[in-house]
């Protein structure tokens, strides 16, 4: 409830926006955004909206499975960096045999 405490302090005039933002570890602009979201939707408005979204950079499941199978079959114990360097970045390409 850190935001609520900072918000209440700001509303009561005990804190300036700058001080309240420092308490939360954000800039003044972010604190003002939090105020807008809090006044509009309450505490639910402060929940991170990105948590329910799927990344646009997410790899297809079949590609991940092919890569995992190839890694487990021949390269168990290698670091990801070493494995990637050895395959030349073509590890996820199903058409290219390792």
């Amino acid at each position: 409830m850190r935001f609520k405490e900072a918000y209440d302090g700001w509303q009561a005039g005990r804190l300036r926006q700058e001080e309240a933002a420092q308490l939360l570890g954000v800039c003044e602009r972010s604190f003002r955004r939090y105020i807008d979201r809090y006044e509009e939707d309450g505490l639910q408005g402060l929940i991170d909206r990105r948590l329910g979204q799927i990344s646009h950079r997410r790899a297809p499941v079949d590609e991940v499975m092919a890569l995992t199978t190839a890694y487990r079959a021949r390269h168990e114990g290698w670091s990801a960096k070493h494995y990637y360097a050895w395959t030349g970045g073509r590890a996820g390409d199903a058409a290219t045999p390792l």
Side-chain angles (χ1 to χ4, degrees):
M1 286 293 185
R2 284 182 20 193
F3 173 79
K4 184 78 170 108
E5 294 166 1
Y7 178 78
D8 290 343
W10 172 71
Q11 282 288 87
R14 293 187 310 267
L15 297 173
R16 296 189 327 258
Q17 278 188 356
E18 178 183 2
E19 295 167 335
Q22 283 180 341
L23 282 174
L24 298 174
V26 298
C27 66
E28 289 180 66
R29 180 65 185 123
S30 292
F31 181 68
R32 288 193 298 272
R33 287 185 183 118
Y34 290 169
I35 290 171
D36 292 342
R37 288 169 51 184
Y38 178 73
E39 290 176 350
E40 196 171 298
D41 299 323
L43 287 175
Q44 291 295 323
L46 299 177
I47 294 175
D48 191 349
R49 297 174 185 164
R50 300 171 297 172
L51 295 177
Q53 297 178 1
I54 297 174
S55 172
H56 68 281
R57 296 174 42 134
R58 186 176 184 171
V61 174
D62 56 341
E63 183 178 334
V64 172
M65 294 305 295
L67 180 63
T68 305
T69 303
Y71 172 77
R72 287 186 180 145
R74 297 181 61 191
H75 310 287
E76 190 76 38
W78 286 22
S79 69
K81 182 178 181 180
H82 185 193
Y83 181 64
Y84 183 83
W86 186 81
T87 61
R90 68 184 195 290
D93 188 3
T96 307
L98 297 177

